[in-house]
Amino acid sequence: MISARKINKHYTLGADRIEVLRDVSLEIEEGEFISIVGRSGSGKSTLLNVLSTLVRPDKGELYYRSSNLTDSPAAYVNTLRKSDFAVIFQFHHLLPYLTVLQNTLLPFMRMLRPVSGDIILRAEECLERIGLGDKKNRLPGNLSGGEQQRVAIARAMVTSARVLFADEPTGSLDKKTGEEIISLLVELQQSGMTIIMVTHEPHYAAIAERQIELSDGRLVQ
């Protein structure tokens, strides 16, 4: 489903050139649950950002369903990202002045263009699935941290994305709530979604079917 071939990425900090990814190659099958692990600074989040097309590599090729995304026009990649990819982060990035339902509908909201009833119904179904159907009219400030992360997952689900990229989705949560979020990701994978998760927690990484370990920007396992 996703193929990365000899991916390289660097950043510049003042006069220093920092090599973040070095010749990383990997294959991800449709429906897999992959965890990306490694020490802080090993390149985990950068690799996730490259795979999700949020960041373009300096060198190398990224394929999605046999399409070479590194050679594709930006407009095509942006459209693909909106239709097939969803990304959640350690911090859920909910808009505090929108309700839970409105935050879930954000991928569809456009200026002066109303959201259809079918899409609203789909969003409500996603909130029911994650156990927040009765809180759809609340503001994020009235939810716990775990509930806010669930809203971020519902926002990813509502687009019917094929691939969910999760960057430390449990990093700001207590153990019990983190386990609930991981269980929800497992449920999504069992329903057919491909999950690619960055985590520093070994017990969460072990739940994935396969672990990808980075060290100093290189794939070591």
Side-chain angles (χ1 to χ4, degrees):
M1 190 178 200
I2 297 175
S3 177
R5 303 178 185 177
K6 292 188 175 299
I7 296 295
N8 287 264
K9 182 65 182 177
H10 83 279
Y11 294 109
T12 301
L13 183 62
D16 297 327
R17 177 186 173 99
I18 303 172
E19 301 292 341
V20 184
L21 296 176
R22 309 166 189 256
D23 290 331
V24 175
S25 297
L26 57 91
E27 307 284 335
I28 298 172
E29 300 294 333
E30 186 167 3
E32 276 195 294
F33 191 149
I34 303 293
S35 62
I36 302 175
V37 301
R39 292 183 177 181
S40 178
S42 61
K44 303 186 299 297
S45 292
T46 299
L47 177 58
L48 191 82
N49 289 338
V50 169
L51 295 176
S52 62
T53 72
L54 293 174
V55 170
R56 291 184 70 89
D58 299 328
K59 293 192 300 182
E61 297 176 325
L62 177 67
Y63 290 84
Y64 176 70
R65 294 183 175 274
S66 301
S67 294
N68 188 341
L69 300 186
T70 43
D71 287 343
S72 298
Y76 171 79
V77 176
N78 290 339
T79 300
L80 175 67
R81 187 190 310 116
K82 292 175 183 177
S83 64
D84 283 32
F85 296 168
V87 185
I88 59 174
F89 302 93
Q90 176 178 345
F91 302 103
H92 25 74
H93 300 297
L94 303 182
L95 297 184
Y97 48 84
L98 296 182
T99 66
V100 164
L101 179 59
Q102 290 169 333
N103 268 284
T104 305
L105 289 167
L106 272 177
F108 297 100
M109 296 176 77
R110 298 291 185 271
M111 189 68 70
L112 301 179
R113 188 178 302 176
V115 178
S116 72
D118 288 344
I119 292 176
I120 293 175
L121 180 60
R122 187 195 311 174
E124 290 175 336
E125 290 172 347
C126 289
L127 290 172
E128 287 288 346
R129 184 173 175 184
I130 64 167
L132 291 179
D134 60 335
K135 299 182 179 180
K136 65 180 181 180
N137 294 319
R138 293 192 183 184
L139 294 175
N142 296 319
L143 303 180
S144 68
E147 288 172 333
Q148 292 184 49
Q149 189 64 291
R150 285 175 177 267
V151 176
I153 293 174
R155 187 170 59 193
M157 293 165 56
V158 76
T159 61
S160 300
R162 296 176 180 269
V163 188
L164 176 62
F165 299 90
D167 192 358
E168 298 282 8
T170 63
S172 60
L173 305 176
D174 61 71
K175 182 178 179 181
K176 179 178 181 297
T177 307
E179 289 174 349
E180 293 173 354
I181 294 299
I182 295 297
S183 295
L184 182 55
L185 295 183
V186 170
E187 289 179 21
L188 293 177
Q189 186 243 349
Q190 291 173 345
S191 68
M193 185 179 282
T194 303
I195 310 291
I196 304 172
M197 176 182 69
V198 165
T199 182
H200 66 279
E201 298 285 354
H203 54 288
Y204 293 152
I207 292 172
E209 296 170 323
R210 186 156 57 100
Q211 294 184 45
I212 296 169
E213 183 178 353
L214 293 178
S215 178
D216 293 328
R218 298 185 185 278
L219 194 152
V220 296
Q221 179 177 328

XYZ file of all heavy atoms in Angstrom, residues 125-181:
427
model
N -22.511 9.277 13.868
C -22.264 7.841 14.009
C -20.848 7.573 14.501
O -20.620 6.674 15.322
C -22.520 7.136 12.675
C -23.995 7.095 12.280
C -24.205 6.567 10.873
O -23.200 6.465 10.113
O -25.358 6.263 10.510
N -19.894 8.350 14.008
C -18.503 8.203 14.463
C -18.379 8.543 15.945
O -17.663 7.858 16.697
C -17.574 9.097 13.639
S -17.332 8.568 11.933
N -19.071 9.587 16.377
C -19.037 9.963 17.789
C -19.708 8.894 18.658
O -19.242 8.612 19.771
C -19.713 11.319 17.991
C -18.941 12.524 17.426
C -19.782 13.793 17.510
C -17.628 12.708 18.182
N -20.764 8.283 18.159
C -21.390 7.182 18.888
C -20.416 6.017 19.011
O -20.314 5.383 20.076
C -22.660 6.722 18.161
C -23.835 7.672 18.260
C -24.463 7.677 19.653
O -24.172 6.766 20.448
O -25.254 8.596 19.933
N -19.692 5.760 17.951
C -18.770 4.621 17.941
C -17.659 4.785 18.964
O -17.200 3.800 19.557
C -18.174 4.455 16.539
C -17.275 3.240 16.391
C -16.858 3.050 14.953
N -15.908 1.962 14.806
C -15.327 1.620 13.676
N -15.617 2.281 12.567
N -14.468 0.628 13.627
N -17.221 6.011 19.209
C -16.142 6.233 20.172
C -16.685 6.577 21.561
O -15.930 6.926 22.461
C -15.195 7.357 19.707
C -15.936 8.696 19.627
C -14.544 7.004 18.381
C -15.008 9.876 19.475
N -18.013 6.500 21.719
C -18.615 6.689 23.033
C -18.859 8.123 23.440
O -19.010 8.417 24.627
N -18.947 9.033 22.465
C -19.166 10.445 22.788
C -20.420 11.009 22.118
O -20.551 12.224 21.986
C -17.945 11.283 22.382
C -16.672 11.065 23.197
C -15.550 11.932 22.661
C -16.900 11.365 24.668
N -21.319 10.145 21.713
C -22.527 10.613 21.045
C -23.356 11.544 21.906
O -23.993 12.475 21.400
N -23.322 11.320 23.217
C -24.124 12.149 24.121
C -23.439 13.472 24.464
O -24.003 14.302 25.172
C -24.432 11.390 25.405
C -23.175 10.982 26.158
O -22.110 10.855 25.520
O -23.250 10.781 27.387
N -22.227 13.690 23.940
C -21.491 14.919 24.241
C -21.198 15.731 22.977
O -20.322 16.591 22.975
C -20.185 14.579 24.969
C -20.421 13.877 26.302
C -19.116 13.578 27.033
C -19.401 12.894 28.371
N -18.163 12.588 29.123
N -21.963 15.489 21.928
C -21.669 16.114 20.643
C -21.827 17.628 20.660
O -21.224 18.337 19.836
C -22.557 15.517 19.551
C -24.051 15.805 19.718
C -24.853 15.170 18.595
C -26.346 15.491 18.746
N -27.136 14.870 17.663
N -22.631 18.151 21.585
C -22.867 19.598 21.626
C -22.020 20.319 22.679
O -22.190 21.515 22.894
C -24.349 19.876 21.870
C -25.212 19.423 20.710
O -24.848 19.601 19.548
N -26.346 18.805 21.012
N -21.118 19.589 23.311
C -20.241 20.215 24.297
C -19.035 20.859 23.607
O -18.652 20.474 22.506
C -19.746 19.178 25.302
C -20.836 18.617 26.196
C -20.229 17.822 27.343
N -21.245 17.223 28.181
C -20.996 16.544 29.299
N -19.730 16.415 29.698
N -21.977 16.025 30.007
N -18.425 21.812 24.308
C -17.177 22.400 23.840
C -16.014 21.562 24.360
O -16.116 20.910 25.398
C -17.043 23.839 24.332
C -18.066 24.836 23.766
C -17.890 26.198 24.444
C -17.929 24.968 22.249
N -14.876 21.544 23.634
C -13.732 20.720 24.038
C -13.268 20.979 25.468
O -12.801 20.064 26.145
C -12.654 21.104 23.024
C -13.411 21.518 21.816
C -14.641 22.196 22.341
N -13.394 22.225 25.934
C -12.953 22.544 27.282
C -13.710 21.811 28.362
O -13.262 21.759 29.517
N -14.854 21.242 28.016
C -15.662 20.502 28.979
C -15.422 18.996 28.902
O -16.177 18.215 29.493
C -17.153 20.788 28.760
C -17.502 22.237 29.026
O -17.006 22.836 29.975
N -18.344 22.814 28.185
N -14.395 18.591 28.166
C -14.060 17.175 28.017
C -12.734 16.879 28.694
O -11.895 17.767 28.870
C -13.952 16.794 26.539
C -15.155 17.046 25.631
C -14.828 16.603 24.216
C -16.387 16.313 26.150
N -12.524 15.625 29.050
C -11.232 15.193 29.570
C -10.225 15.090 28.418
O -10.606 15.138 27.234
C -11.371 13.834 30.249
O -11.653 12.829 29.280
N -8.950 14.925 28.765
C -7.926 14.792 27.726
C -8.168 13.587 26.835
O -8.012 13.659 25.614
N -8.569 12.471 27.441
C -8.854 11.277 26.652
C -10.038 11.464 25.729
O -10.040 10.991 24.586
N -11.064 12.159 26.211
C -12.242 12.419 25.371
C -11.878 13.331 24.206
O -12.361 13.134 23.078
C -13.354 13.028 26.216
C -13.994 12.038 27.173
C -14.963 12.693 28.131
O -14.795 13.903 28.442
O -15.899 12.010 28.592
N -11.031 14.319 24.444
C -10.611 15.203 23.364
C -9.826 14.427 22.313
O -9.982 14.670 21.105
C -9.782 16.351 23.929
C -10.596 17.314 24.788
C -9.792 18.504 25.262
O -9.122 19.166 24.490
N -9.862 18.785 26.560
N -8.996 13.481 22.745
C -8.260 12.663 21.766
C -9.209 11.771 20.986
O -9.008 11.525 19.790
C -7.200 11.815 22.484
C -6.227 11.097 21.557
C -5.366 12.047 20.745
O -5.866 12.741 19.847
N -4.079 12.079 21.027
N -10.284 11.316 21.624
C -11.287 10.523 20.917
C -11.973 11.358 19.826
O -12.285 10.854 18.748
C -12.342 9.990 21.901
C -11.856 8.836 22.756
C -12.896 8.439 23.794
N -12.468 7.292 24.557
C -12.757 6.039 24.259
N -13.490 5.765 23.195
N -12.312 5.043 25.016
N -12.214 12.626 20.122
C -12.809 13.503 19.107
C -11.863 13.627 17.906
O -12.296 13.604 16.750
C -13.124 14.891 19.689
C -13.647 15.824 18.590
C -14.139 14.781 20.816
N -10.560 13.738 18.179
C -9.591 13.814 17.088
C -9.628 12.544 16.242
O -9.503 12.600 15.008
C -8.185 14.038 17.648
N -9.834 11.393 16.885
C -9.941 10.137 16.144
C -11.234 10.097 15.341
O -11.261 9.656 14.192
C -9.836 8.942 17.102
C -8.426 8.885 17.704
C -10.166 7.636 16.397
C -8.257 7.820 18.773
N -12.327 10.577 15.930
C -13.594 10.641 15.190
C -13.456 11.530 13.961
O -14.008 11.238 12.895
C -14.708 11.153 16.101
N -12.734 12.622 14.109
C -12.493 13.530 12.978
C -11.726 12.823 11.878
O -11.938 13.074 10.688
C -11.736 14.756 13.476
C -11.564 15.853 12.446
C -11.016 17.119 13.091
N -9.728 16.889 13.738
C -9.162 17.745 14.583
N -9.781 18.869 14.916
N -7.992 17.479 15.119
N -10.830 11.910 12.257
C -10.113 11.114 11.268
C -11.021 10.070 10.636
O -10.935 9.780 9.438
C -8.905 10.439 11.923
N -11.928 9.494 11.430
C -12.821 8.450 10.937
C -13.856 8.985 9.966
O -14.255 8.290 9.018
C -13.540 7.790 12.116
C -12.654 6.994 13.042
S -13.484 6.613 14.626
C -14.967 5.778 14.075
N -14.302 10.215 10.158
C -15.449 10.730 9.410
C -15.145 10.880 7.921
O -16.052 10.860 7.085
C -15.926 12.073 10.016
C -14.996 13.215 9.635
C -17.361 12.374 9.599
N -13.880 10.994 7.573
C -13.517 11.143 6.155
C -13.408 9.815 5.441
O -13.132 9.780 4.236
C -12.171 11.871 6.032
O -11.151 11.093 6.680
C -12.226 13.254 6.658
N -13.597 8.706 6.172
C -13.433 7.358 5.606
C -12.020 7.158 5.072
O -11.808 6.537 4.031
C -14.470 7.094 4.500
O -15.772 7.195 5.005
N -11.041 7.699 5.786
C -9.644 7.565 5.383
C -9.225 6.100 5.376
O -9.720 5.290 6.166
C -8.744 8.362 6.325
N -8.300 5.770 4.492
C -7.773 4.408 4.411
C -6.587 4.203 5.344
O -6.325 3.089 5.784
C -7.347 4.091 2.978
C -8.491 4.092 1.971
C -7.962 3.877 0.560
N -9.028 3.874 -0.419
C -9.684 2.776 -0.810
N -9.364 1.616 -0.283
N -10.639 2.850 -1.709
N -5.850 5.289 5.611
C -4.645 5.192 6.434
C -4.729 6.234 7.553
O -4.981 7.405 7.284
C -3.362 5.432 5.614
C -2.125 5.135 6.472
C -3.344 4.589 4.346
N -4.492 5.782 8.782
C -4.451 6.694 9.922
C -3.019 6.765 10.434
O -2.430 5.750 10.825
C -5.380 6.209 11.033
C -5.348 7.026 12.334
C -5.784 8.465 12.087
C -6.224 6.382 13.397
N -2.455 7.971 10.423
C -1.122 8.218 10.963
C -1.292 8.828 12.356
O -1.968 9.853 12.501
C -0.345 9.178 10.063
C -0.126 8.671 8.665
C -1.052 8.930 7.658
C 1.006 7.940 8.347
C -0.857 8.473 6.365
C 1.210 7.472 7.052
C 0.284 7.734 6.062
N -0.684 8.204 13.358
C -0.838 8.668 14.740
C 0.535 8.967 15.323
O 1.374 8.065 15.430
C -1.561 7.610 15.571
N 0.764 10.224 15.701
C 2.054 10.640 16.245
C 1.924 10.808 17.758
O 1.367 11.791 18.242
C 2.505 11.949 15.601
C 3.958 12.284 15.900
O 4.597 11.511 16.635
O 4.448 13.304 15.387
N 2.418 9.814 18.493
C 2.346 9.811 19.960
C 0.915 10.102 20.448
O 0.684 11.027 21.248
C 3.313 10.850 20.552
C 4.779 10.587 20.242
C 5.397 9.506 21.113
O 4.654 8.841 21.865
O 6.622 9.318 21.030
N -0.077 9.328 20.009
C -1.472 9.656 20.355
C -1.795 9.494 21.831
O -2.830 9.993 22.278
C -2.280 8.652 19.511
C -1.355 7.481 19.350
C 0.015 8.092 19.216
N -0.935 8.808 22.591
C -1.193 8.612 24.018
C -0.215 9.389 24.888
O -0.230 9.251 26.111
C -1.087 7.114 24.381
O 0.267 6.669 24.143
C -2.034 6.281 23.546
N 0.633 10.203 24.269
C 1.731 10.841 24.992
C 1.306 11.749 26.119
O 2.037 11.908 27.101
N 0.127 12.365 26.010
C -0.319 13.303 27.048
C -1.411 12.714 27.929
O -2.069 13.438 28.673
C -0.842 14.585 26.392
O -1.941 14.300 25.540
N -1.603 11.383 27.863
C -2.701 10.744 28.578
C -2.186 9.837 29.687
O -1.055 9.342 29.632
C -3.548 9.913 27.605
C -4.091 10.655 26.376
C -4.818 9.673 25.464
C -5.016 11.784 26.800
N -3.032 9.595 30.702
C -2.675 8.630 31.732
C -2.773 7.220 31.159
O -3.284 7.012 30.062
C -3.589 8.788 32.955
C -5.055 8.555 32.613
O -5.436 7.402 32.352
O -5.826 9.537 32.597
N -2.263 6.235 31.910
C -2.156 4.876 31.388
C -3.505 4.295 30.978
O -3.652 3.731 29.892
C -1.498 3.968 32.431
C -1.304 2.538 31.948
C -0.610 1.690 33.001
C -0.464 0.254 32.501
N 0.185 -0.626 33.523
N -4.516 4.430 31.839
C -5.826 3.854 31.549
C -6.422 4.466 30.284
O -6.928 3.754 29.401
C -6.769 4.068 32.738
C -8.179 3.511 32.529
C -9.021 3.727 33.765
C -10.421 3.144 33.580
N -11.166 3.807 32.486
N -6.371 5.788 30.184
C -6.933 6.459 29.004
C -6.125 6.122 27.758
O -6.687 5.925 26.676
C -6.957 7.981 29.225
O -7.616 8.261 30.453
C -7.693 8.672 28.102
N -4.799 6.032 27.911
C -3.958 5.654 26.782
C -4.309 4.277 26.258
O -4.367 4.063 25.036
N -4.575 3.347 27.162
C -4.954 1.996 26.736
C -6.288 2.001 26.005
O -6.491 1.231 25.051
C -5.010 1.076 27.957
C -3.630 0.760 28.534
C -3.689 -0.026 29.826
O -4.808 -0.148 30.390
O -2.636 -0.504 30.276
N -7.196 2.870 26.414
C -8.481 2.985 25.715
C -8.283 3.500 24.287
O -8.937 3.021 23.355
C -9.414 3.913 26.491
C -9.864 3.356 27.840
C -10.649 4.363 28.648
O -10.744 5.530 28.215
O -11.161 3.995 29.723
N -7.376 4.462 24.121
C -7.105 4.998 22.784
C -6.471 3.925 21.907
O -6.837 3.758 20.726
C -6.194 6.242 22.877
C -6.925 7.381 23.595
C -5.733 6.685 21.490
C -8.190 7.854 22.930
